[in-house]
Amino acid sequence: ILNVEQSPQSLHVQEGDSTNFTCSFPSSNFYALHWYRWETAKSPEALFVMTLNGDEKKKGRISATLNTKEGYSYLYIKGSQPEDSATYLCALNSGGYQKVTFGIGTKLQVIP
Amino acid sequence: DGGITQSPKYLFRKEGQNVTLSCEQNLNHDAMYWYRQDPGQGLRLIYYSQIVNDFQKGDIAEGYSVSREKKESFPLTVTSAQKNPTAFYLCASSTKTSLYTGELFFGEGSRLTVL
């Protein structure tokens, strides 16, 4: 079983602060790296699917980068808002239906 | 709206009883999955199904069973053989064409507590 690590496991930031978290993974057998946002009492929703080394994706104030050679991805949130409070999951797809490995997530709380 | 519906959201059962968690999707997705979440661990795959009438064990299938008689439905039975069934269960689906790169679509989950 592959090891996908996320750090930190939790953090609190003030509204307006920018923040970032890390997902690290083994770079062998890489097909795709997914980021999901999981708000309390809701279903996880995909933020980004990244496939190419050097990929940078952006959705509003949230962006992500990918380095497949060294095995990490960063998620950035610019000017955090209370509605950004959620758990952010990363998942490595290393080859198909049964080959998606999730990290434990980073729980973000944005304090108004 | 299209999506995945899981029921019930909360379920309490006595030890030794089988329970079945429902998962229905109207996204017309071929593949469906069951994941389990435990504190301090990432989501772990229990079973997945690529097409109707076919399913495969995931990493932690022992003590669970599934069926896929209809494309829309993928119920999970937690049997009495599952040693530690108290957990949060998530159902997901994906399109066949996005096997390697496509996102998963999730339900809101079912929390099972065995007393």
Side-chain angles (χ1 to χ4, degrees), chain A residues 8 11 18 22 28 32 36 50 52 61 69 89 92 96:
Chain A
L11 75 162
S18 295
T22 305
S28 58
Y36 293 88
M50 309 177 79
L52 297 175
R61 294 179 290 98
K69 292 184 179 179
L89 300 176
L92 170 70

Side-chain angles (χ1 to χ4, degrees), chain A residues 33-44:
Chain A
L33 193 286
H34 300 195
W35 281 102
Y36 293 88
R37 176 167 59 197
W38 192 1
E39 295 179 63
T40 301
K42 295 187 177 180
S43 54

